Amino acid sequence: MRVQTLCFCLSTALAALPVQAQDAEEGRALYTDFCAVCHGESLQGDGPMAELLRVEPADLTQLMKEGGFPVLDVAQRIDGRMQLRAHGGEMPLFGSFFEGQGRDVAMVGQGGQPVMVSRPIADLIAYLMEVQS
């Protein structure tokens, strides 16, 4: 019982430690390497592969239309947990690249709920947050 209490206290203390800020410039580079082919350099769904997809790529400059930035939804789309018909399954096809890239970091989701994501996903989300219209 004491070990459980100690583990709980330790994990709570570690969770309260500040994490490095996300790197939007690194996110921009990741976007260019992995996302622009479908979503375009403009982020508006006009990439060179867009016309080959069954479903039009989203305009990534409009993610905040519904209010706050949907951190959890975007993270789940990037890492493949939320699948899209456009790809016939996993989205993106390289979602596994973004897993296990160092220590996960916490981001604040809608409603203030913390969301743990890999560093590359946090960087991509930081970039996408900067480009919202």
Side-chain angles (χ1 to χ4, degrees):
M1 183 90 162
R2 290 180 184 206
V3 172
Q4 290 174 325
T5 303
L6 179 61
C7 288
F8 173 76
C9 291
L10 185 56
S11 65
T12 302
L14 288 174
L17 291 174
V19 289
Q20 268 182 304
Q22 290 78 41
D23 185 346
E25 282 305 309
E26 181 62 25
R28 176 190 303 272
L30 289 168
Y31 176 86
T32 299
D33 290 346
F34 292 99
C35 311
V37 69
C38 293
H39 292 281
E41 291 298 323
S42 71
L43 293 91
Q44 296 176 337
D46 58 355
M49 293 294 291
E51 64 187 43
L52 301 176
L53 299 174
R54 290 184 281 173
V55 176
E56 211 173 289
D59 179 344
L60 300 178
T61 66
Q62 300 297 311
L63 296 173
M64 288 184 64
K65 280 189 348 188
E66 302 295 322
F69 191 90
V71 172
L72 182 59
D73 289 348
V74 172
Q76 289 179 336
R77 296 226 185 221
I78 293 169
D79 69 16
R81 287 180 285 165
M82 187 181 294
Q83 301 200 353
L84 292 174
R85 294 175 301 152
H87 298 99
E90 186 177 332
M91 173 359 210
L93 300 173
F94 46 78
S96 60
F97 166 81
F98 295 104
E99 297 173 2
Q101 298 283 325
R103 184 174 160 205
D104 283 356
V105 297
M107 297 191 78
V108 178
Q110 287 178 294
Q113 182 69 27
V115 177
M116 297 299 291
V117 297
S118 70
R119 166 59 76 190
I121 290 176
D123 293 343
L124 264 170
I125 289 174
Y127 172 61
L128 291 174
M129 289 173 137
E130 283 188 355
V131 298
Q132 295 305 295
S133 297

